[in-house]
Amino acid sequence: MAKRQFGSDSRADQLKEDLRHLSDTVEELVNATSKDASGEMSDLRARAESRLKKARAQLEARGERLYDDTRETISDQVECCDRYVRENPWSSIGIGTAVGVLVGMLLGRR
């Protein structure tokens, strides 16, 4: 399983925001040039619209894949934990108690 580097969430959020701004800008440009009837401008506008739609579709597909992969990984981990607890109930109680005591001691120091 791949580990995320520190700060990757903020970088991902910044990338999403940049792509959203780029998308909005391209849409504004396409709408602003819609009245220009020259052949070259209409060709550029059509290519920009096509690329924008393609980029959006790819980003949506990637987001769905990431969501599905994450959901599957978490589901597998939950099943593993459930199986361990069912196979080793006393060990699980001991681990839970130890974690509870440790958290209680840390909170008691404050």
Side-chain angles (χ1 to χ4, degrees):
M1 181 167 58
K3 294 184 179 180
R4 287 190 139 194
Q5 294 179 345
F6 179 74
S8 64
D9 289 335
S10 63
R11 286 193 303 250
D13 291 340
Q14 181 63 43
L15 179 60
K16 288 178 192 176
E17 189 65 26
D18 290 345
L19 287 171
R20 189 174 300 116
H21 286 302
L22 177 61
S23 173
D24 292 342
T25 303
V26 169
E27 284 181 4
E28 288 175 13
L29 178 63
V30 167
N31 291 334
T33 60
S34 64
K35 295 178 184 173
D36 189 353
S38 70
E40 184 177 335
M41 187 56 88
S42 64
D43 182 44
L44 289 173
R45 188 172 51 251
R47 285 193 316 197
E49 287 177 345
S50 170
R51 288 181 182 168
L52 181 60
K53 287 178 184 178
K54 183 179 177 183
R56 281 185 179 168
Q58 288 175 342
L59 288 173
E60 288 176 5
R62 181 176 168 90
E64 289 174 8
R65 278 194 313 269
L66 288 173
Y67 175 78
D68 291 341
D69 290 347
T70 302
R71 186 177 176 136
E72 183 179 328
T73 300
I74 290 173
S75 177
D76 290 345
Q77 291 176 357
V78 166
E79 289 175 11
C80 182
C81 289
D82 184 56
R83 187 173 44 251
Y84 178 81
V85 169
R86 290 180 188 275
E87 291 173 358
N88 305 299
W90 289 109
S91 296
S92 301
I93 291 171
I95 292 170
T97 302
V99 169
V101 168
L102 181 63
V103 169
M105 288 174 57
L106 290 174
L107 291 176
R109 287 186 174 182
R110 290 185 179 202

Short mmCIF file of all heavy atoms in Angstrom, two decimals, residues 47-69:
data_model
loop_
_atom_site.label_atom_id
_atom_site.label_comp_id
_atom_site.label_asym_id
_atom_site.label_seq_id
_atom_site.Cartn_x
_atom_site.Cartn_y
_atom_site.Cartn_z
N ARG A 47 -11.39 23.17 -30.52
CA ARG A 47 -10.33 22.35 -29.91
C ARG A 47 -10.27 22.58 -28.41
O ARG A 47 -10.08 21.63 -27.65
CB ARG A 47 -8.98 22.66 -30.56
CG ARG A 47 -8.84 22.07 -31.93
CD ARG A 47 -7.44 22.10 -32.42
NE ARG A 47 -6.79 23.38 -32.15
CZ ARG A 47 -5.69 23.81 -32.74
NH1 ARG A 47 -5.11 23.06 -33.64
NH2 ARG A 47 -5.17 24.98 -32.45
N ALA A 48 -10.42 23.83 -27.99
CA ALA A 48 -10.38 24.14 -26.55
C ALA A 48 -11.54 23.45 -25.83
O ALA A 48 -11.36 22.87 -24.76
CB ALA A 48 -10.43 25.65 -26.32
N GLU A 49 -12.73 23.50 -26.42
CA GLU A 49 -13.89 22.83 -25.82
C GLU A 49 -13.66 21.33 -25.74
O GLU A 49 -13.96 20.70 -24.73
CB GLU A 49 -15.15 23.14 -26.62
CG GLU A 49 -15.67 24.54 -26.45
CD GLU A 49 -16.88 24.82 -27.32
OE1 GLU A 49 -17.16 24.04 -28.26
OE2 GLU A 49 -17.55 25.83 -27.06
N SER A 50 -13.12 20.77 -26.81
CA SER A 50 -12.87 19.33 -26.85
C SER A 50 -11.86 18.92 -25.78
O SER A 50 -12.08 17.94 -25.06
CB SER A 50 -12.36 18.95 -28.23
OG SER A 50 -11.90 17.63 -28.25
N ARG A 51 -10.78 19.65 -25.66
CA ARG A 51 -9.75 19.32 -24.67
C ARG A 51 -10.28 19.50 -23.25
O ARG A 51 -9.95 18.73 -22.35
CB ARG A 51 -8.51 20.17 -24.90
CG ARG A 51 -7.75 19.74 -26.13
CD ARG A 51 -6.52 20.56 -26.34
NE ARG A 51 -5.86 20.14 -27.57
CZ ARG A 51 -4.88 20.82 -28.15
NH1 ARG A 51 -4.45 21.96 -27.61
NH2 ARG A 51 -4.32 20.36 -29.24
N LEU A 52 -11.09 20.52 -23.04
CA LEU A 52 -11.66 20.76 -21.72
C LEU A 52 -12.58 19.60 -21.32
O LEU A 52 -12.50 19.09 -20.21
CB LEU A 52 -12.42 22.08 -21.69
CG LEU A 52 -13.06 22.47 -20.37
CD1 LEU A 52 -11.99 22.62 -19.29
CD2 LEU A 52 -13.83 23.78 -20.53
N LYS A 53 -13.41 19.16 -22.25
CA LYS A 53 -14.30 18.04 -21.95
C LYS A 53 -13.51 16.76 -21.68
O LYS A 53 -13.84 15.99 -20.77
CB LYS A 53 -15.27 17.82 -23.11
CG LYS A 53 -16.35 18.87 -23.20
CD LYS A 53 -17.26 18.64 -24.39
CE LYS A 53 -18.28 19.77 -24.52
NZ LYS A 53 -19.13 19.60 -25.70
N LYS A 54 -12.46 16.55 -22.46
CA LYS A 54 -11.63 15.36 -22.28
C LYS A 54 -10.93 15.40 -20.92
O LYS A 54 -10.89 14.39 -20.21
CB LYS A 54 -10.60 15.27 -23.40
CG LYS A 54 -9.74 14.05 -23.34
CD LYS A 54 -8.76 14.02 -24.50
CE LYS A 54 -7.84 12.81 -24.40
NZ LYS A 54 -6.84 12.78 -25.46
N ALA A 55 -10.40 16.56 -20.55
CA ALA A 55 -9.71 16.69 -19.26
C ALA A 55 -10.67 16.46 -18.10
O ALA A 55 -10.33 15.78 -17.13
CB ALA A 55 -9.06 18.07 -19.15
N ARG A 56 -11.86 17.01 -18.21
CA ARG A 56 -12.86 16.80 -17.16
C ARG A 56 -13.22 15.33 -17.03
O ARG A 56 -13.32 14.79 -15.94
CB ARG A 56 -14.11 17.61 -17.44
CG ARG A 56 -13.98 19.05 -17.09
CD ARG A 56 -15.30 19.76 -17.27
NE ARG A 56 -15.17 21.16 -16.90
CZ ARG A 56 -16.08 22.07 -17.15
NH1 ARG A 56 -17.17 21.74 -17.81
NH2 ARG A 56 -15.90 23.30 -16.76
N ALA A 57 -13.42 14.67 -18.15
CA ALA A 57 -13.78 13.25 -18.13
C ALA A 57 -12.66 12.41 -17.50
O ALA A 57 -12.92 11.51 -16.70
CB ALA A 57 -14.08 12.76 -19.53
N GLN A 58 -11.41 12.72 -17.84
CA GLN A 58 -10.29 11.98 -17.29
C GLN A 58 -10.17 12.21 -15.79
O GLN A 58 -9.91 11.27 -15.03
CB GLN A 58 -8.99 12.39 -17.98
CG GLN A 58 -8.86 11.89 -19.39
CD GLN A 58 -7.62 12.41 -20.10
OE1 GLN A 58 -7.02 13.39 -19.68
NE2 GLN A 58 -7.25 11.76 -21.19
N LEU A 59 -10.36 13.45 -15.35
CA LEU A 59 -10.27 13.74 -13.91
C LEU A 59 -11.40 13.06 -13.15
O LEU A 59 -11.18 12.54 -12.05
CB LEU A 59 -10.30 15.26 -13.68
CG LEU A 59 -9.04 16.01 -14.09
CD1 LEU A 59 -9.26 17.51 -13.96
CD2 LEU A 59 -7.86 15.57 -13.24
N GLU A 60 -12.59 13.06 -13.71
CA GLU A 60 -13.70 12.38 -13.05
C GLU A 60 -13.45 10.88 -12.95
O GLU A 60 -13.70 10.26 -11.92
CB GLU A 60 -15.00 12.65 -13.79
CG GLU A 60 -15.52 14.05 -13.62
CD GLU A 60 -16.76 14.33 -14.45
OE1 GLU A 60 -17.29 13.40 -15.10
OE2 GLU A 60 -17.21 15.49 -14.45
N ALA A 61 -12.93 10.29 -14.03
CA ALA A 61 -12.64 8.86 -14.03
C ALA A 61 -11.56 8.53 -13.00
O ALA A 61 -11.67 7.54 -12.26
CB ALA A 61 -12.21 8.40 -15.41
N ARG A 62 -10.54 9.36 -12.94
CA ARG A 62 -9.47 9.13 -11.96
C ARG A 62 -9.99 9.27 -10.54
O ARG A 62 -9.66 8.48 -9.67
CB ARG A 62 -8.32 10.11 -12.20
CG ARG A 62 -7.17 9.91 -11.24
CD ARG A 62 -6.00 10.82 -11.58
NE ARG A 62 -5.03 10.84 -10.53
CZ ARG A 62 -3.99 10.01 -10.46
NH1 ARG A 62 -3.82 9.12 -11.40
NH2 ARG A 62 -3.15 10.10 -9.46
N GLY A 63 -10.83 10.26 -10.30
CA GLY A 63 -11.42 10.44 -8.98
C GLY A 63 -12.26 9.24 -8.57
O GLY A 63 -12.20 8.79 -7.42
N GLU A 64 -13.04 8.71 -9.52
CA GLU A 64 -13.85 7.54 -9.23
C GLU A 64 -12.97 6.32 -8.94
O GLU A 64 -13.27 5.54 -8.03
CB GLU A 64 -14.79 7.25 -10.38
CG GLU A 64 -15.90 8.26 -10.51
CD GLU A 64 -16.76 8.04 -11.74
OE1 GLU A 64 -16.58 7.01 -12.43
OE2 GLU A 64 -17.61 8.91 -12.01
N ARG A 65 -11.88 6.16 -9.70
CA ARG A 65 -10.97 5.04 -9.45
C ARG A 65 -10.34 5.16 -8.07
O ARG A 65 -10.24 4.17 -7.33
CB ARG A 65 -9.88 4.97 -10.51
CG ARG A 65 -10.28 4.29 -11.78
CD ARG A 65 -9.08 3.95 -12.65
NE ARG A 65 -8.13 5.03 -12.82
CZ ARG A 65 -8.16 5.94 -13.78
NH1 ARG A 65 -9.12 5.90 -14.69
NH2 ARG A 65 -7.23 6.88 -13.85
N LEU A 66 -9.88 6.37 -7.71
CA LEU A 66 -9.28 6.57 -6.40
C LEU A 66 -10.28 6.28 -5.28
O LEU A 66 -9.94 5.65 -4.28
CB LEU A 66 -8.74 8.00 -6.27
CG LEU A 66 -7.49 8.32 -7.06
CD1 LEU A 66 -7.18 9.80 -6.98
CD2 LEU A 66 -6.31 7.51 -6.54
N TYR A 67 -11.51 6.73 -5.47
CA TYR A 67 -12.55 6.48 -4.47
C TYR A 67 -12.79 4.99 -4.32
O TYR A 67 -12.85 4.46 -3.20
CB TYR A 67 -13.84 7.20 -4.86
CG TYR A 67 -15.00 6.89 -3.95
CD1 TYR A 67 -15.10 7.52 -2.71
CD2 TYR A 67 -15.97 5.98 -4.32
CE1 TYR A 67 -16.16 7.23 -1.87
CE2 TYR A 67 -17.03 5.69 -3.48
CZ TYR A 67 -17.12 6.32 -2.26
OH TYR A 67 -18.16 6.02 -1.43
N ASP A 68 -12.93 4.29 -5.44
CA ASP A 68 -13.18 2.85 -5.39
C ASP A 68 -12.01 2.10 -4.76
O ASP A 68 -12.22 1.19 -3.95
CB ASP A 68 -13.45 2.30 -6.79
CG ASP A 68 -14.77 2.78 -7.37
OD1 ASP A 68 -15.64 3.23 -6.58
OD2 ASP A 68 -14.93 2.73 -8.61
N ASP A 69 -10.77 2.46 -5.13
CA ASP A 69 -9.59 1.81 -4.56
C ASP A 69 -9.52 2.04 -3.05
O ASP A 69 -9.23 1.12 -2.28
CB ASP A 69 -8.31 2.32 -5.22
CG ASP A 69 -8.18 1.86 -6.65
OD1 ASP A 69 -8.93 0.95 -7.07
OD2 ASP A 69 -7.33 2.43 -7.38
#
